[in-house]
Amino acid sequence: MIYLQNTTESQVLYVPKNGTEASGELTLKARNTIDRDFVIDQVLDLNTSDLYYNLAIALPAGCPDGEYEYALMDDGIVLSTGILILESSQSRNEYNKDIEYEQYNTE
């Protein structure tokens, strides 16, 4: 599972290689099963790892937060697939609730 900030600024995305190497032009396709799809053409691999594609990407404007199925493709050949979570910094929720316990004397 990959977590990505929902911003149009450039950011780094690490995608598992799954033992395959890219030889052509990379494309990242993401599909949200509820709303919409987005496609990022001409993704640049920085080639800094043997285990991951180290991609520099910028998301298109208007992508809704949520869970996406992604596919990293090389000239139409699927190199890696998985789940991508797209979230804005305002959508994070933390649940820290104080729990109080009462203990009864059983004498």
Side-chain angles (χ1 to χ4, degrees), residues 2-107:
I2 298 173
Y3 291 90
L4 195 59
Q5 291 294 316
N6 192 358
T7 179
T8 56
E9 296 175 10
S10 181
Q11 55 188 317
V12 176
L13 176 67
Y14 295 98
V15 178
K17 281 193 175 179
N18 299 330
T20 56
E21 291 293 329
S23 60
E25 187 175 301
L26 296 176
T27 302
L28 179 70
K29 293 186 179 186
R31 188 178 121 207
N32 184 327
T33 56
I34 298 173
D35 290 15
R36 323 179 187 146
D37 303 346
F38 67 85
V39 176
I40 303 171
D41 291 324
Q42 298 177 348
V43 177
L44 177 63
D45 183 10
L46 302 175
N47 291 322
T48 59
S49 173
D50 292 333
L51 301 175
Y52 295 94
Y53 295 103
N54 185 357
L55 308 175
I57 66 164
L59 294 173
C63 294
D65 289 351
E67 189 171 290
Y68 291 81
E69 298 171 353
Y70 76 85
L72 182 64
M73 303 173 71
D74 178 16
D75 293 330
I77 299 170
V78 177
L79 300 176
S80 182
T81 61
I83 302 294
L84 182 135
I85 304 293
L86 190 60
E87 59 187 4
S88 61
S89 59
Q90 297 86 11
S91 69
R92 294 185 185 205
N93 294 325
E94 290 188 24
Y95 299 100
N96 293 324
K97 182 179 176 184
D98 291 331
I99 299 174
E100 294 182 21
Y101 296 97
E102 290 185 33
Q103 184 172 353
Y104 297 99
N105 192 354
T106 59
E107 291 180 23

